[in-house]
Amino acid sequence: MKLPTNLTLAHKLILTMMATSSTALLVACIFFLSYDVITLRHSIAEHLDSLADITGANVAAALTYNDPKSADLVLRALQAEPHIVAARIYDGRGRAFASYRRAVSASPVAELPELPPARGRRLEREQVTECNAIIFDGESIGSVYLVSDLQEIQIRLRRFVIFALILMGACSAVAFLVAVLLKRLISRPILDLVETTKTISREKNFGVRAPKYAADELGLLVDGFNEMLAEIEFAEGALRAGHAESELFINSVPSILIGTDSLGYVTRWNLAAATAFGLPAGAVLGKPLQNCEIRWSDLQPGEKVDSWFRVESSEKRENVTFERDGDRRFLGLTIIKVDLFPGGKGTGFLITGADITERKTLEEQLRQAQKLEAIGQLAAGISHEINTPAQYVGDNAKFLQETWPAVNKILGLCLRLREESLAGSVAAATIAELLQSTEEADPTYLLREVPQAIEQTLQGMERVSKIVRAMKEFSHPGSEGKCAININHAIETTIAVARNEWKYVADVQTSFADNLPPVLCLAGEFNQVILNLLINAAHAIGDVVGNNSGCKGTITITTKSDSSWVEVQIQDTGAGVPENIRARIFEPFFTTKEVGKGTGQGLALAHAVIVKKHEGQIWFESEVGKGTTFFLRLPLALSETGVSLAATV
Amino acid sequence: MALLILTAAIEFPGHTSAQTVEESRVKAAYLYNFAKFVEWPSGVFRSFDDPAVICVVGDEHTSDVLEPAVSGKKVNGRPVQARRPHSPDEFKSCHVLFIGFSDKERIAQLLSRLQRSSVLTVGQSEEFIPLGGMINLALKNTTIELEIDPDASNAAGLKISSRLLVVARLVKAPGQPGGER
């Protein structure tokens, strides 16, 4: 049965009360009716029984003296009993002796059996039959069979139903009136409660309270509701405060914080994100991140923003770039997969990170600074290297300049002597002057020294130009991309450039493989690495031997190759790397040198260049007190991505 | 005996001058049953188990049937005796007396002797009631009809059950008021 659940409470109450009273009444009516019908059937049967006995007694004489007419008369008296439909008397031999059928009968005339039926009473649906023996003076002399219809029951039933209907109608009316009066007791507090909830949801005001009418269960409900409201009011305040606080925190975080659901729809967008992308939260919330108006550029080859939402646990994305106001900006992001609900029911992603454009710029500047630093550091040595030949080039030039007036005078006298001899008269004065000048000029000395001075000048100039060429080669100006270079030559150049850095503390020995294949690399940066390692080696040895002590260490540079790589070893006889810092030496800004002597970028740069830009390897072996060897390995076959990556940086 | 009672109401086919066994049985049953429908005045029976005496005179056939039939039977709790009386005293000791002969003189003589005695007199002749008898078994067609003169029985102090009266034809002795019903 479908209950009318959409009725108002008041109607439900009325319905309930009326249904209850009607049901009770109905059950009572059915009970009484059943009882009445059963008892009536029994009383009809009882009556039939006694009627049969009386009839039997009355026809005893007729039976005894074989007088059917008399028996008929007796049976005809049954007309007084309107519900007797038929009757029959059977004689002692079981033959029909006398019969009776009611002339006018509502029910169909019962069939009278030819032979006497079994003794006793039969309550059938439509009728009740009774067959009794006719006992006369203790002897059975025949039997009487009576059939009674149940019209009486039906009439009574009909009356009863009419009565019951009237009763139920009256009771329903009364019950309705009572219910209408009583429902206010229950419905009014509930309706007020409903009104209160409406007010609350309309005004979002948890300060409203429902009125209480009585101390019954509804009163308790109202109390409970009001208590709940108070708790909600408190909890809502706390929640708002907490939410505001967390919002404040999130917005105060200087890092970019972007929350998304599992499909990448933005759910959180903090102030740092808004600042970094130049997009307010309102412009992106609820949109897929990949569809936001951010001009991503140059992600990793083949990478789409969508792929971020497939990461497991967390991944870092360095160098995410996008364009903003025409500038290229760099982001360092970490994508973290988070379970939004315990039990893994829903996942989302937290993207955190920062705009590292400034850092990138600074790093670039720092790299340039380091380069400059190295060059600056070299400059003194190089100037010294240039200064020495320049000095004696100058000395020799000065010597030649000083020599020149004497030579000039002799040459002038020689010219006059030639003109005079051509004229035929050579003045003795001229000869005397020439002899004197020649004597003064010390020609033996000049003939010996001047060629030497010229030779030394040329040598000096050669050295200067060599150094200048090495410097030029070292810094490789104008060569941005990778090119195949001779590693051995590159190392020699660097050794030459850095000569002033090591020559006072160490000897450099080289052990180059002859058949080294050309290696595709960024020549300038490779040279920088070798320079850094060379200078580090010289410093390491210098720490041991002390500057200008005359006692020198050795730096051994070895190259060798395999089919797939070229290896460079730079070995020093320094103090070695202490155990406790070995893990950190490739970290940026990590240095053991005193302030001003190192920036802590050398080995970090070397690592970056060899590992990231060349997909090579760098490692070292060190023994405290004996020295350190750095190993560089460059692959001969660079991967495509490596080439293109390197080309972009 | 039971057979006799059960067959008491049997119609017997045809009537011949020679009385059939069947007719005798019906008569015997009628006589026996009269004892059930008649109430004798108190004092007739000395005790509650005094036998009810049914006498038959002048109809040997009926006597022959009646005697074995009633042996051991009881009427209203009393044992039943069938007798063939000879002396006037014996007639008076009867409770039911069936007079089988049809000689008017003898009937009148016998009835006059039984005046003031509580004997239910039953006859089987047309003159029996007019002669002062109480019940006559009248042969009509193939059945036996009862004719009763309640005045005669009342005079003798006998009460005949109304139920019996219902099935009988009430007859008045001549000279009596009322006549035939």
Side-chain angles (χ1 to χ4, degrees):
Chain A
M1 187 176 97
K2 197 180 174 191
L3 290 168
T5 47
N6 289 334
L7 288 177
T8 64
L9 195 63
H11 287 150
K12 274 183 193 161
L13 278 172
I14 293 173
L15 199 68
T16 308
M17 289 189 211
M18 289 183 66
T20 309
S21 58
S22 301
T23 308
L25 209 58
L26 196 67
V27 170
C29 283
I30 289 169
F31 176 78
F32 284 125
L33 188 63
S34 309
Y35 179 77
D36 201 43
V37 166
I38 291 166
T39 50
L40 195 61
R41 278 169 78 104
H42 276 96
S43 73
I44 286 172
E46 293 291 336
H47 179 61
L48 205 61
D49 188 27
S50 53
L51 205 61
D53 283 347
I54 290 166
T55 307
N58 284 340
V59 297
L63 263 178
T64 308
Y65 295 104
N66 190 26
D67 188 1
K69 285 182 196 164
S70 173
D72 279 343
L73 280 173
V74 172
L75 288 183
R76 213 167 294 149
L78 290 171
Q79 277 178 332
E81 298 281 349
H83 54 274
I84 299 294
V85 184
R88 178 164 274 184
I89 307 289
Y90 299 90
D91 66 17
R93 288 178 154 192
R95 291 180 305 186
F97 181 70
S99 301
Y100 164 77
R101 285 189 178 82
R102 200 164 69 205
V104 184
S105 168
S107 46
V109 175
E111 282 297 315
L112 286 168
E114 278 306 311
L115 293 174
R119 300 281 156 81
R121 172 187 312 164
R122 268 177 292 284
L123 286 166
E124 289 165 20
R125 217 179 118 72
E126 295 285 333
Q127 59 187 24
V128 180
T129 66
E130 180 80 41
C131 184
N132 281 5
I134 300 172
I135 307 292
F136 182 59
D137 194 29
E139 289 176 29
S140 173
I141 57 170
S143 51
V144 58
Y145 175 69
L146 293 182
V147 181
S148 169
D149 65 19
L150 296 173
Q151 282 236 308
E152 191 181 356
I153 289 178
Q154 283 167 9
I155 290 166
R156 228 164 132 157
L157 208 61
R158 208 170 298 143
R159 278 187 201 147
F160 193 96
V161 168
I162 291 168
F163 171 76
L165 284 176
I166 292 169
L167 185 68
M168 283 185 69
C171 285
S172 296
V174 173
F176 179 77
L177 286 175
V178 172
V180 165
L181 291 173
L182 286 180
K183 69 153 197 206
R184 290 180 58 80
L185 282 177
I186 293 168
S187 66
R188 192 173 164 200
I190 293 174
L191 288 176
D192 281 343
L193 209 57
V194 170
E195 193 51 47
T196 308
T197 61
K198 280 183 185 168
T199 308
I200 290 165
S201 58
R202 192 172 56 237
E203 298 172 5
K204 306 282 178 238
N205 175 11
F206 291 102
V208 180
R209 293 290 178 270
K212 183 182 175 182
Y213 290 93
D216 57 2
E217 287 89 339
L218 280 173
L220 289 177
L221 177 66
V222 169
D223 281 346
F225 183 73
N226 286 340
E227 277 173 32
M228 198 174 73
L229 276 182
E231 279 180 27
I232 290 174
E233 192 179 12
F234 177 76
E236 202 228 1
L239 201 64
R240 271 181 199 279
H243 193 261
E245 193 183 44
S246 70
E247 198 67 25
L248 197 67
F249 277 150
I250 286 172
N251 279 332
S252 305
V253 170
S255 301
I256 295 171
L257 270 181
I258 302 171
T260 74
D261 63 10
S262 60
L263 297 172
Y265 285 75
V266 177
T267 55
R268 287 273 193 176
W269 187 265
N270 79 340
L271 215 55
T275 312
F277 290 102
L279 287 170
V284 292
L285 282 179
K287 286 185 189 171
L289 186 59
Q290 53 267 43
N291 293 355
C292 291
E293 295 205 4
I294 300 168
R295 295 178 59 199
W296 303 103
S297 61
D298 292 341
L299 289 174
Q300 301 282 334
E303 179 172 8
K304 298 265 166 57
V305 176
D306 315 33
S307 71
W308 296 355
F309 306 112
R310 289 195 287 273
V311 307
E312 297 295 331
S313 68
S314 78
E315 274 181 37
K316 280 194 171 181
R317 290 285 193 280
E318 287 288 340
N319 298 330
V320 176
T321 55
F322 69 101
E323 279 182 33
R324 191 184 125 198
D325 305 331
D327 289 337
R328 195 178 184 202
R329 314 283 302 178
F330 290 85
L331 297 176
L333 298 180
T334 305
I335 297 127
I336 305 159
K337 188 177 184 180
V338 286
D339 281 336
L340 293 179
F341 303 102
K345 281 181 190 169
T347 54
F349 293 91
L350 178 65
I351 299 168
T352 165
D355 185 335
I356 55 168
T357 311
E358 310 301 331
R359 201 187 87 199
K360 276 271 168 192
T361 312
L362 278 176
E363 268 178 14
E364 185 58 33
Q365 285 170 356
L366 194 65
R367 215 145 52 92
Q368 292 298 330
Q370 211 270 338
K371 219 167 175 178
L372 288 174
E373 181 200 62
I375 290 167
Q377 201 172 9
L378 289 175
I382 288 169
S383 67
H384 182 74
E385 289 295 309
I386 292 173
N387 199 39
T388 308
Q391 207 164 11
Y392 61 73
V393 165
D395 287 349
N396 284 325
K398 200 173 177 185
F399 165 71
L400 289 175
Q401 189 187 26
E402 284 168 358
T403 312
W404 180 252
V407 174
N408 193 34
K409 194 174 179 183
I410 290 168
L411 284 177
L413 285 171
C414 283
L415 271 177
R416 204 165 77 191
L417 194 64
R418 180 180 171 259
E419 282 167 12
E420 282 175 357
S421 66
L422 284 175
S425 61
V426 177
T430 305
I431 294 168
E433 205 173 337
L434 181 64
L435 288 173
Q436 191 188 347
S437 295
T438 307
E439 202 139 326
E440 284 174 4
D442 193 0
T444 314
Y445 171 74
L446 289 178
L447 285 172
R448 193 181 70 241
E449 288 297 322
V450 169
Q452 270 187 17
I454 293 168
E455 180 63 25
Q456 280 184 350
T457 304
L458 288 174
Q459 278 180 1
M461 287 316 293
E462 177 60 28
R463 277 188 65 181
V464 169
S465 64
K466 188 184 171 189
I467 288 165
V468 169
R469 198 165 60 243
M471 278 182 72
K472 192 183 171 194
E473 277 179 21
F474 177 78
S475 56
H476 261 270
S479 136
E480 291 279 316
K482 282 188 178 174
C483 52
I485 60 162
N486 183 336
I487 295 286
N488 290 345
H489 181 69
I491 293 170
E492 265 174 353
T493 307
T494 307
I495 292 169
V497 168
R499 187 163 175 273
N500 201 53
E501 301 299 317
W502 51 262
K503 68 179 181 187
Y504 302 108
V505 292
D507 294 321
V508 172
Q509 294 179 355
T510 57
S511 168
F512 291 159
D514 295 335
N515 56 347
L516 212 59
V519 176
L520 200 63
C521 69
L522 299 162
E525 307 212 6
F526 177 77
N527 288 341
Q528 184 79 43
V529 171
I530 299 296
L531 177 66
N532 286 345
L533 294 176
L534 195 58
I535 290 171
N536 276 357
H539 285 170
I541 292 169
D543 287 346
V544 175
V545 300
N547 283 339
N548 303 319
S549 66
C551 175
K552 285 186 178 179
T554 308
I555 297 170
T556 310
I557 300 180
T558 311
T559 59
K560 55 183 177 182
S561 71
D562 192 358
S563 59
S564 55
W565 44 258
V566 167
E567 189 176 286
V568 180
Q569 296 175 8
I570 299 168
Q571 188 182 20
D572 66 55
T573 55
V577 182
E579 290 274 355
N580 57 339
I581 62 163
R582 283 183 189 178
R584 298 186 61 198
I585 64 167
F586 291 114
E587 285 179 18
F589 303 104
F590 179 80
T591 181
T592 56
K593 293 171 186 173
E594 60 203 65
V595 176
K597 205 169 182 192
T599 55
Q601 291 293 299
L603 284 176
L605 190 91
H607 188 268
V609 168
I610 299 301
V611 175
K612 287 194 180 168
K613 296 187 178 174
H614 293 88
E615 296 186 343
Q617 292 167 292
I618 181 168
W619 75 96
F620 67 95
E621 289 168 3
S622 182
E623 200 175 337
V624 175
K626 287 201 170 178
T628 307
T629 307
F630 275 86
F631 297 82
L632 309 182
R633 239 179 218 195
L634 297 179
L636 285 174
L638 269 179
S639 68
E640 281 301 307
T641 54
V643 173
S644 56
L645 169 66
T648 60
V649 179
Chain B
M1 180 61 217
L3 185 66
L4 183 136
I5 301 303
L6 285 172
T7 58
I10 282 174
E11 296 175 14
F12 41 88
H15 177 250
T16 54
S17 54
Q19 187 170 316
T20 63
V21 176
E22 195 60 45
E23 190 180 334
S24 299
R25 277 186 184 163
V26 172
K27 286 177 184 169
Y30 273 35
L31 291 174
Y32 165 74
N33 281 317
F34 285 147
K36 296 179 178 176
F37 289 103
V38 174
E39 195 180 318
W40 279 267
S42 55
V44 169
F45 296 104
R46 284 187 299 277
S47 68
F48 68 90
D49 56 352
D50 248 13
V53 181
I54 302 174
C55 303
V56 177
V57 63
D59 187 341
E60 294 304 314
H61 292 297
T62 303
S63 286
D64 291 343
V65 174
L66 184 65
E67 278 169 15
V70 301
S71 130
K73 288 291 288 181
K74 288 193 171 181
V75 167
N76 294 332
R78 299 175 188 282
V80 182
Q81 281 183 5
R83 290 183 191 169
R84 303 185 197 203
H86 302 290
S87 65
D89 286 342
E90 277 184 303
F91 288 127
K92 285 186 180 175
S93 69
C94 295
H95 298 105
V96 177
L97 173 62
F98 179 53
I99 300 164
F101 45 79
S102 49
D103 183 357
K104 283 187 191 174
E105 291 301 319
R106 284 184 66 191
I107 291 169
Q109 191 188 356
L110 189 50
L111 290 177
S112 65
R113 271 192 206 163
L114 291 174
Q115 295 241 319
R116 306 190 192 290
S117 61
S118 303
V119 178
L120 181 74
T121 55
V122 182
Q124 54 174 347
S125 68
E126 287 180 21
E127 300 300 321
F128 188 72
I129 298 283
L131 288 172
M134 298 172 189
I135 297 175
N136 184 39
L137 304 179
L139 202 60
K140 291 280 176 69
N141 297 326
T142 58
T143 59
I144 293 171
E145 260 188 26
L146 292 181
E147 291 175 340
I148 296 176
D149 182 355
D151 294 336
S153 58
N154 285 346
L158 301 175
K159 288 181 186 165
I160 298 177
S161 164
S162 64
R163 290 188 286 168
L164 182 56
L165 295 178
V166 164
V167 303
R169 202 161 66 85
L170 300 188
V171 182
K172 295 283 180 192
Q176 301 279 338
E180 199 173 313
R181 195 175 73 178

